[in-house]
Amino acid sequence: MSSSRIASRMQRIKTSPSSAAADRAAELRRQGRAIVNLAIGEPDFPTPPHIRRAAAEAVERGETRYTQTAGAIALRTAIAEKLAQENDLRFDPKQIIVTCGAKHAIFNALAVSVEPGDEVLIPAPYWVSYPDMVVACEGVPVIMACDESAGFKVTPDLLESAITARTRWLILNSPSNPTGASYTASELRALADVLLRHPDVLVLTDDIYEHIRYDAEGNPHIAAIEPALRDRTVVVNGVSKTYAMTGWRIGYAAGPSDIIAAMDTLQSQSTSCASSVSQAAALAALQGDQGSIAEAVQIYRKRRDRAVALLNAIPGLRCAAPAGAFYLFVNCAGVIGKRMRSGEVIGSDSDFVLYLIETAGVVLVAGSAYGVSPYFRMSIATGIDVIEEGCRKIERAVSELV
């Protein structure tokens, strides 16, 4: 028997790089350093007033007890209506489960369906948690490196070549964290055609950034484009990014009855239901005034355009304007191989990000954390003055490299 009290699988799971960056920023601030945190993965706006009021009113009404494990029926009904109206996807409320954030929904969907050795296809750049969630469920993450020239999106040929007899899931995130890549209806149609040839492959769509888009494409969904995929697609979403409700911890999944029922069973023995007060707030978010969404997107767009212009003016950096989400994925190949004043060489994007943290006080996340190098992710979910200050510090730090 091993002398360690920690299960061996935990040795294969990494701490979230985003969380690590936030922790490092907090540590440097405690040391008295002036820090510009551009690693933030949440909206900087307050939760809209009508949502906050709904939560307070729920407390006053005494709605502070357990709901059903799968969530209050009123909220699940509202989610079903949202999916039908916005995404052309029709689910019975019994096919929907409310979770403690979208991350919880993704993990539980994998946990109830992945057998040891099952493969999960993950386009890269990917959200940092996908591979480790798969490993935690004893599956095998299969990383599909998506080239910048293809907009960081998986192509039909790449998807076809990655599918094997062990493939259980394909994860699609659109718009994407970290690149903002957004699939068009025609691109989803092409991927659906591949999936139709492989009926055993399930599809998990992470739609958490669906409303933060800067193009006119709308929110096309692969299961609406190809109805034959609906019985093997799990749709994951939540209120965190759209309504600035990250701390309220409400996500949800909608999908085939057997998968949702299994998730309900698992949740009943782990977290039980999500917060009843947060569910009341989420109901108000889905059914109330939606004006804050367009206002936020307009602000994000201005920040995006300003940040892209500033970054592209820095020698050695290159950044395309993302189609969605609130991140920039910046190519830093032009600084790799340069030397710091100390004589140390910038050998990777991780080295460059560490250099910026320690010398410029700018916190970013290296592209290697998302499966593709040499890049870094920069959040624009902060004030434009903070973005401008961060870019000035990055420019100064780059100019000091030899």
Side-chain angles (χ1 to χ4, degrees), residues 66-218:
Y66 296 130
T67 69
Q68 289 177 277
T69 299
I73 188 63
L75 178 55
R76 284 184 284 147
T77 299
I79 293 168
E81 291 170 352
K82 178 267 180 215
L83 291 170
Q85 294 169 5
E86 293 188 357
N87 307 104
D88 192 25
L89 297 172
R90 283 160 180 79
F91 294 95
D92 187 281
K94 294 179 181 179
Q95 295 177 287
I96 294 170
I97 185 168
V98 178
T99 56
C100 302
K103 178 186 283 190
H104 186 209
I106 295 168
F107 183 88
N108 281 3
L110 295 172
V112 303
S113 60
V114 172
E115 299 281 7
D118 282 352
E119 296 174 351
V120 178
L121 305 183
I122 304 173
Y126 47 70
W127 180 45
V128 294
S129 292
Y130 294 147
D132 288 282
M133 286 182 176
V134 173
V135 170
C137 296
E138 300 188 72
V140 179
V142 176
I143 308 305
M144 301 182 293
C146 302
D147 196 75
E148 184 177 0
S149 63
F152 295 117
K153 291 182 274 192
V154 64
T155 62
D157 288 344
L158 181 56
L159 175 59
E160 183 74 63
S161 66
I163 294 174
T164 73
R166 296 306 304 268
T167 302
R168 175 60 64 119
W169 286 98
L170 164 67
I171 297 179
L172 282 178
N173 177 210
S174 176
S176 159
N177 174 7
T179 67
S182 302
Y183 289 87
T184 65
S186 60
E187 289 168 337
L188 292 173
R189 175 70 264 170
L191 296 178
D193 289 340
V194 175
L195 292 166
L196 288 175
R197 295 194 290 271
H198 301 277
D200 293 331
V201 177
L202 302 170
V203 183
L204 190 154
T205 66
D206 180 354
D207 304 334
I208 196 68
Y209 294 97
E210 69 166 338
H211 287 114
I212 306 173
R213 295 187 66 138
Y214 309 112
D215 54 31
E217 180 69 23

Side-chain angles (χ1 to χ4, degrees), residues 67-72 75-76 79 96-109 208 234-240 245-246 248-254 259-260 263-264 266-268 270-276 278-279 282:
T67 69
Q68 289 177 277
T69 299
L75 178 55
R76 284 184 284 147
I79 293 168
I96 294 170
I97 185 168
V98 178
T99 56
C100 302
K103 178 186 283 190
H104 186 209
I106 295 168
F107 183 88
N108 281 3
I208 196 68
V234 171
V235 180
V236 172
N237 209 326
V239 297
S240 295
M245 294 178 67
T246 50
W248 298 82
R249 307 311 303 136
I250 294 292
Y252 59 83
I259 294 178
I260 299 301
M263 292 173 67
D264 190 6
L266 177 61
Q267 192 160 302
S268 75
S270 54
T271 58
S272 191
C273 65
S275 161
S276 58
S278 293
Q279 289 190 57

Side-chain angles (χ1 to χ4, degrees), residues 7 27 36 95 134 163 219-221 223 262 339 364 381:
E27 179 183 345
V36 179
Q95 295 177 287
V134 173
I163 294 174
N219 299 310
H221 199 283
R339 292 183 180 273
L364 302 157

